[in-house]
Amino acid sequence: MGDTGEPARRAAHDAARRSYGKLVAFLAARTRDVAGAEDALAEAFATALAKWPERGVPDNPEAWLLTVARRKMIDAHRERRLDESAAEHLALLAELAEKDPDDAQIPDDRLALMFACAHPAIDRGIHAPLMLQAVLGFDAAAIGSAFLASPATMGQRLVRAKSRIRQSGIPFRVPGEADMRERLETVLDAIYAAYAEGWDDAAGTDARRRNLAEEAIWLGGLVASLLPQEPEALGLLALMLHAQARRAARRDAAGAYVPLNEQDVSLWDAGLIQRAEALLERAAAIGAPGRFQLEAAVQSAHVIRRRSGRADWAAIEQLYAALHGLTASPVVAINRAIALAETQGPQAGLAMLDSVAGDARLADYQPYWAARAGLLGRLGSVREADAAYERAIGLERDAAVRQFLQGRREALTR
């Protein structure tokens, strides 16, 4: 295109960032055909990149893209008809042929699209990838890289999930009050799973994963803005912002791993922390505490170290106790054990770890063995601590964390 195409490319990029999910949701909500909506919108963007450099960027790019995409979907349905009955086919064409929304007031069906992506009829493991593709436009290669799957495998799983939505008639709607809590939890879990995948790239060396964490925060912000009275949506966003605020402190200048209680608090992002605290206050005012609010509150208790020099371990232990009562999660029990060791001593923490030691899910869970090794070391049980460190090091994928654990192990003999 040359230089004359740059404004068109920029306008198309901005439109995709603002409205990709909104346009896919609008089209798919009327046909239940997520894949067809994505294909039509992709063609609309390709048409835009071909025509806008010559004709200029339209006053309302989103409305222009919607009009072209609807025409593409109409053409596609006329050509293939799939296995639809004549009545179903005509109904779909009628939906697509409706007049475009006036003044580009396109209904925002993104939340309904997210609930469709996280429907119980779809395998839970594909909820987060499907949401990332349908709402944000991630391709299968980017998603596969983040979720440790080949592009082909991830692509097949995404295709099957979209077919499931269409063939099963999964509705594009926000659930009623009776079903909201369970279904919303599924949506929030999927967003948090996406964030966790990006968070795992602590060094920030994988651009796809780094972007994944930021996009998950964007999704969480979207849900919180569309459901401002749902405290768990606010709590999840607060939790992710608290975690993101510490990203720059997780590695030192040489790239070595720095545990939370040793991080330089001056590197924490004060602006993100302020936003997280405000969200947590809003959630608490609603008066319906839940998992994500409690986890965000734990992070808030760690933030106190910025002022006092020490985290509020008593509050952290109490919050983890409440979380354990809510979830019965052995992972929560591990974190509570670490907090107990700070408030009541390493023996109390080790007793908590012993209470969940029989859970088969912990056999290959590195944080359990790392926590156990640390507490045994503090108690002077060098041989047992050494064995636990060996197990933790063998399970850890991150080279920087392995090196950190190796250093702690070597310190036992000094």
Coordinates of all heavy atoms in Angstrom, one line a residue, residues 88-146:
E88 N -35.3 -22.8 8.7 CA -34.2 -22.3 9.5 C -33.3 -21.4 8.6 O -32.8 -20.4 9.1 CB -33.4 -23.5 10.0 CG -34.1 -24.3 11.2 CD -33.3 -25.5 11.5 OE1 -32.6 -26.0 10.7 OE2 -33.5 -25.9 12.7
H89 N -33.1 -21.9 7.4 CA -32.3 -21.1 6.5 C -32.9 -19.7 6.2 O -32.1 -18.7 6.3 CB -32.1 -21.9 5.2 CG -31.3 -21.2 4.1 ND1 -30.0 -20.9 4.3 CD2 -31.7 -20.7 2.9 CE1 -29.5 -20.3 3.2 NE2 -30.6 -20.1 2.4
L90 N -34.1 -19.7 6.0 CA -34.8 -18.4 5.7 C -34.8 -17.5 6.9 O -34.6 -16.3 6.8 CB -36.2 -18.6 5.2 CG -36.3 -19.2 3.8 CD1 -37.8 -19.6 3.5 CD2 -35.8 -18.3 2.7
A91 N -34.9 -18.1 8.1 CA -34.9 -17.3 9.3 C -33.5 -16.7 9.6 O -33.4 -15.5 10.0 CB -35.3 -18.2 10.5
L92 N -32.5 -17.5 9.3 CA -31.1 -16.9 9.4 C -30.9 -15.8 8.5 O -30.3 -14.7 8.8 CB -30.1 -18.0 9.2 CG -30.0 -19.0 10.3 CD1 -29.0 -20.2 9.9 CD2 -29.4 -18.4 11.6
L93 N -31.3 -16.0 7.2 CA -31.2 -14.9 6.2 C -31.9 -13.6 6.6 O -31.4 -12.5 6.5 CB -31.6 -15.4 4.9 CG -30.7 -16.4 4.2 CD1 -31.3 -16.8 2.8 CD2 -29.3 -15.9 4.0
A94 N -33.1 -13.8 7.2 CA -33.9 -12.7 7.7 C -33.2 -11.9 8.8 O -33.2 -10.7 8.8 CB -35.3 -13.1 8.1
E95 N -32.6 -12.7 9.7 CA -31.9 -12.1 10.8 C -30.7 -11.2 10.3 O -30.5 -10.1 10.7 CB -31.3 -13.2 11.7 CG -32.4 -13.8 12.6 CD -32.6 -13.0 13.9 OE1 -32.1 -11.9 14.0 OE2 -33.2 -13.6 14.9
L96 N -30.0 -11.8 9.3 CA -28.8 -11.2 8.8 C -29.2 -10.0 7.9 O -28.4 -9.0 7.8 CB -27.9 -12.2 8.0 CG -27.2 -13.2 8.9 CD1 -26.6 -14.3 8.0 CD2 -26.1 -12.5 9.7
A97 N -30.3 -10.0 7.3 CA -30.7 -9.0 6.4 C -31.4 -7.8 7.1 O -31.8 -6.8 6.4 CB -31.7 -9.6 5.3
E98 N -31.5 -7.9 8.4 CA -32.1 -6.7 9.1 C -31.3 -5.5 8.8 O -30.2 -5.5 8.5 CB -32.1 -7.0 10.6 CG -33.1 -8.0 11.1 CD -32.9 -8.2 12.6 OE1 -32.0 -7.7 13.2 OE2 -33.8 -8.9 13.2
K99 N -32.0 -4.4 9.0 CA -31.4 -3.1 8.7 C -30.3 -2.9 9.8 O -30.4 -3.2 10.9 CB -32.4 -1.9 8.9 CG -31.8 -0.6 8.6 CD -32.9 0.5 8.7 CE -32.3 1.9 8.5 NZ -33.4 3.0 8.7
D100 N -29.1 -2.4 9.3 CA -28.0 -2.1 10.2 C -28.5 -1.2 11.3 O -29.3 -0.3 11.1 CB -26.8 -1.5 9.5 CG -26.1 -2.5 8.6 OD1 -26.2 -3.7 8.9 OD2 -25.5 -2.1 7.6
P101 N -27.9 -1.3 12.5 CA -28.3 -0.4 13.6 C -28.1 1.0 13.3 O -27.0 1.4 12.7 CB -27.4 -0.8 14.8 CG -27.0 -2.3 14.5 CD -27.0 -2.3 13.0
D102 N -29.0 1.9 13.6 CA -28.9 3.3 13.3 C -27.7 3.9 14.0 O -27.5 3.6 15.2 CB -30.2 4.1 13.6 CG -31.4 3.7 12.7 OD1 -31.1 3.2 11.6 OD2 -32.5 3.8 13.2
D103 N -27.1 4.9 13.4 CA -26.0 5.6 14.0 C -24.9 4.7 14.7 O -24.3 5.0 15.7 CB -26.5 6.6 15.0 CG -27.5 7.6 14.4 OD1 -27.2 8.0 13.2 OD2 -28.5 7.9 15.0
A104 N -24.8 3.5 14.1 CA -23.8 2.6 14.6 C -24.0 2.2 16.1 O -23.1 1.9 16.8 CB -22.4 3.1 14.4
Q105 N -25.3 2.3 16.5 CA -25.5 1.8 17.9 C -25.6 0.3 17.9 O -26.7 -0.3 18.1 CB -26.8 2.5 18.4 CG -26.7 4.0 18.5 CD -25.6 4.4 19.5 OE1 -25.5 4.0 20.6 NE2 -24.8 5.3 19.0
I106 N -24.5 -0.3 17.7 CA -24.5 -1.8 17.7 C -24.7 -2.4 19.1 O -23.9 -2.0 20.0 CB -23.1 -2.3 17.1 CG1 -22.9 -1.6 15.7 CG2 -23.1 -3.8 17.0 CD1 -21.5 -1.8 15.2
P107 N -25.7 -3.2 19.3 CA -25.9 -3.8 20.6 C -24.6 -4.5 21.1 O -23.9 -5.2 20.3 CB -27.0 -4.8 20.4 CG -27.7 -4.3 19.1 CD -26.6 -3.7 18.3
D108 N -24.3 -4.4 22.3 CA -23.1 -5.0 22.9 C -23.4 -6.4 23.4 O -23.9 -6.5 24.5 CB -22.4 -4.2 24.0 CG -21.0 -4.6 24.2 OD1 -20.7 -5.7 23.9 OD2 -20.2 -3.7 24.8
D109 N -23.2 -7.4 22.6 CA -23.5 -8.8 23.0 C -22.3 -9.6 23.4 O -22.3 -10.8 23.5 CB -24.2 -9.5 21.8 CG -25.5 -9.0 21.4 OD1 -26.3 -8.6 22.3 OD2 -25.8 -8.9 20.2
R110 N -21.2 -8.9 23.7 CA -20.0 -9.6 24.1 C -20.1 -10.4 25.3 O -19.6 -11.5 25.4 CB -18.8 -8.6 24.2 CG -18.3 -8.0 22.9 CD -17.2 -7.0 23.2 NE -17.8 -5.8 23.8 CZ -17.1 -4.7 24.0 NH1 -15.8 -4.6 23.7 NH2 -17.7 -3.6 24.6
L111 N -20.9 -9.9 26.3 CA -21.0 -10.7 27.5 C -21.8 -11.9 27.2 O -21.5 -13.0 27.7 CB -21.8 -9.8 28.6 CG -21.8 -10.4 30.0 CD1 -20.4 -10.7 30.5 CD2 -22.6 -9.5 30.9
A112 N -22.8 -11.8 26.4 CA -23.6 -13.0 26.0 C -22.7 -14.0 25.2 O -22.8 -15.2 25.4 CB -24.8 -12.6 25.1
L113 N -21.8 -13.5 24.4 CA -20.8 -14.4 23.7 C -19.9 -15.1 24.7 O -19.6 -16.3 24.5 CB -20.0 -13.5 22.7 CG -18.9 -14.3 21.9 CD1 -19.5 -15.4 21.1 CD2 -18.2 -13.3 21.0
M114 N -19.5 -14.4 25.7 CA -18.6 -15.0 26.7 C -19.4 -16.1 27.5 O -18.8 -17.2 27.7 CB -18.1 -14.0 27.7 CG -16.9 -13.2 27.2 SD -16.1 -12.2 28.4 CE -17.0 -10.7 28.3
F115 N -20.6 -15.9 27.8 CA -21.4 -16.9 28.4 C -21.6 -18.1 27.5 O -21.6 -19.3 28.0 CB -22.7 -16.4 28.9 CG -22.7 -15.7 30.3 CD1 -22.7 -14.3 30.4 CD2 -22.5 -16.5 31.4 CE1 -22.6 -13.7 31.6 CE2 -22.4 -15.8 32.7 CZ -22.5 -14.5 32.7
A116 N -21.8 -17.9 26.2 CA -21.9 -19.0 25.3 C -20.6 -19.8 25.2 O -20.6 -21.0 25.2 CB -22.3 -18.5 23.9
C117 N -19.4 -19.1 25.2 CA -18.1 -19.8 25.1 C -17.9 -20.6 26.4 O -17.1 -21.6 26.3 CB -17.0 -18.7 25.0 SG -17.0 -17.9 23.4
A118 N -18.5 -20.2 27.5 CA -18.2 -20.9 28.8 C -19.4 -21.8 29.2 O -19.6 -22.1 30.3 CB -17.9 -19.9 29.9
H119 N -20.2 -22.2 28.2 CA -21.4 -23.0 28.5 C -21.0 -24.3 29.0 O -20.0 -24.9 28.6 CB -22.2 -23.1 27.2 CG -23.6 -23.7 27.4 ND1 -23.9 -25.0 27.5 CD2 -24.8 -23.0 27.6 CE1 -25.2 -25.2 27.7 NE2 -25.8 -24.0 27.8
P120 N -21.8 -24.9 30.0 CA -21.4 -26.2 30.5 C -21.4 -27.3 29.5 O -20.7 -28.3 29.7 CB -22.6 -26.5 31.5 CG -23.1 -25.1 31.9 CD -22.9 -24.3 30.6
A121 N -22.0 -27.2 28.3 CA -22.0 -28.2 27.3 C -20.7 -28.3 26.6 O -20.4 -29.2 25.9 CB -23.1 -28.0 26.3
I122 N -19.8 -27.3 26.8 CA -18.5 -27.2 26.1 C -17.4 -27.6 27.1 O -17.5 -27.2 28.3 CB -18.2 -25.8 25.6 CG1 -19.3 -25.4 24.5 CG2 -16.8 -25.7 25.0 CD1 -19.2 -24.0 24.1
D123 N -16.5 -28.4 26.7 CA -15.4 -28.8 27.6 C -14.8 -27.7 28.3 O -14.4 -26.7 27.7 CB -14.3 -29.6 26.7 CG -13.1 -30.0 27.5 OD1 -13.3 -30.4 28.7 OD2 -12.0 -29.8 27.0
R124 N -14.6 -27.8 29.6 CA -14.2 -26.7 30.4 C -12.8 -26.2 30.0 O -12.4 -25.0 30.1 CB -14.2 -27.1 31.9 CG -14.0 -26.0 32.9 CD -14.0 -26.5 34.3 NE -14.1 -25.4 35.3 CZ -15.2 -24.8 35.8 NH1 -16.3 -25.2 35.4 NH2 -15.1 -23.8 36.6
G125 N -11.9 -27.1 29.6 CA -10.6 -26.8 29.2 C -10.5 -25.9 28.0 O -9.4 -25.3 27.8
I126 N -11.5 -25.8 27.2 CA -11.5 -24.9 26.0 C -12.2 -23.6 26.2 O -12.2 -22.7 25.4 CB -12.1 -25.7 24.8 CG1 -11.6 -25.1 23.5 CG2 -13.6 -25.7 24.9 CD1 -10.2 -25.2 23.2
H127 N -12.8 -23.4 27.4 CA -13.5 -22.2 27.7 C -12.6 -20.9 27.5 O -13.0 -20.0 26.7 CB -14.1 -22.1 29.1 CG -15.2 -23.0 29.3 ND1 -15.8 -23.3 30.6 CD2 -16.0 -23.7 28.4 CE1 -16.8 -24.1 30.4 NE2 -16.9 -24.4 29.2
A128 N -11.5 -20.9 28.1 CA -10.6 -19.7 28.0 C -10.1 -19.5 26.6 O -10.2 -18.4 26.1 CB -9.4 -19.8 29.0
P129 N -9.5 -20.6 25.9 CA -9.1 -20.3 24.5 C -10.2 -19.9 23.6 O -10.0 -19.0 22.8 CB -8.6 -21.7 24.1 CG -8.1 -22.4 25.4 CD -9.1 -21.9 26.4
L130 N -11.4 -20.4 23.8 CA -12.5 -20.1 22.9 C -12.9 -18.6 23.1 O -13.1 -17.9 22.2 CB -13.7 -21.0 23.2 CG -14.9 -20.8 22.3 CD1 -14.6 -21.0 20.8 CD2 -16.0 -21.8 22.7
M131 N -12.9 -18.2 24.4 CA -13.2 -16.8 24.7 C -12.1 -15.8 24.1 O -12.4 -14.8 23.5 CB -13.2 -16.6 26.2 CG -14.1 -15.5 26.7 SD -14.2 -15.5 28.5 CE -15.1 -16.9 28.8
L132 N -10.9 -16.2 24.2 CA -9.8 -15.4 23.6 C -9.9 -15.3 22.1 O -9.6 -14.2 21.6 CB -8.4 -16.0 24.0 CG -8.0 -15.9 25.5 CD1 -6.8 -16.8 25.7 CD2 -7.7 -14.5 25.8
Q133 N -10.3 -16.3 21.5 CA -10.4 -16.2 20.0 C -11.7 -15.5 19.6 O -11.6 -14.6 18.7 CB -10.4 -17.6 19.4 CG -10.4 -17.6 17.8 CD -10.1 -18.9 17.2 OE1 -11.0 -19.7 17.1 NE2 -8.9 -19.1 16.8
A134 N -12.8 -15.8 20.2 CA -14.1 -15.2 19.7 C -14.2 -13.8 20.1 O -14.8 -13.0 19.4 CB -15.3 -16.0 20.3
V135 N -13.8 -13.4 21.3 CA -14.0 -12.1 21.8 C -12.8 -11.1 21.5 O -13.0 -10.0 21.2 CB -14.2 -12.1 23.3 CG1 -14.5 -10.7 23.9 CG2 -15.4 -13.0 23.7
L136 N -11.6 -11.7 21.4 CA -10.4 -10.9 21.2 C -9.7 -11.1 19.9 O -8.9 -10.3 19.5 CB -9.4 -11.1 22.4 CG -9.8 -10.7 23.8 CD1 -8.8 -11.0 24.8 CD2 -10.1 -9.2 23.8
G137 N -10.1 -12.2 19.2 CA -9.5 -12.4 17.9 C -8.1 -13.0 17.9 O -7.5 -13.0 16.8
F138 N -7.7 -13.7 19.0 CA -6.4 -14.4 19.0 C -6.5 -15.5 18.0 O -7.5 -16.2 17.9 CB -6.2 -15.0 20.4 CG -5.5 -14.1 21.3 CD1 -6.0 -12.8 21.6 CD2 -4.3 -14.5 22.0 CE1 -5.4 -11.9 22.5 CE2 -3.7 -13.6 22.9 CZ -4.2 -12.4 23.1
D139 N -5.4 -15.8 17.3 CA -5.4 -17.0 16.4 C -5.0 -18.2 17.1 O -4.5 -18.2 18.3 CB -4.5 -16.7 15.2 CG -3.1 -16.5 15.5 OD1 -2.6 -17.0 16.5 OD2 -2.4 -15.8 14.7
A140 N -5.2 -19.4 16.5 CA -4.9 -20.7 17.1 C -3.5 -20.8 17.5 O -3.1 -21.4 18.5 CB -5.4 -21.8 16.2
A141 N -2.6 -20.2 16.7 CA -1.1 -20.4 17.0 C -0.8 -19.6 18.3 O -0.1 -20.1 19.1 CB -0.3 -19.8 15.8
A142 N -1.3 -18.4 18.4 CA -1.0 -17.6 19.6 C -1.6 -18.3 20.9 O -1.0 -18.4 21.9 CB -1.6 -16.2 19.5
I143 N -2.8 -18.8 20.7 CA -3.5 -19.5 21.9 C -2.8 -20.8 22.2 O -2.5 -21.1 23.4 CB -5.0 -19.7 21.6 CG1 -5.7 -18.4 21.4 CG2 -5.6 -20.5 22.7 CD1 -7.1 -18.5 20.9
G144 N -2.4 -21.5 21.1 CA -1.7 -22.8 21.4 C -0.4 -22.6 22.0 O 0.0 -23.4 22.9
S145 N 0.3 -21.6 21.7 CA 1.6 -21.3 22.3 C 1.4 -21.0 23.8 O 2.2 -21.5 24.6 CB 2.3 -20.1 21.6 OG 3.4 -19.7 22.3
A146 N 0.4 -20.2 24.1 CA 0.2 -19.9 25.5 C -0.3 -21.1 26.3 O 0.1 -21.2 27.5 CB -0.9 -18.8 25.6

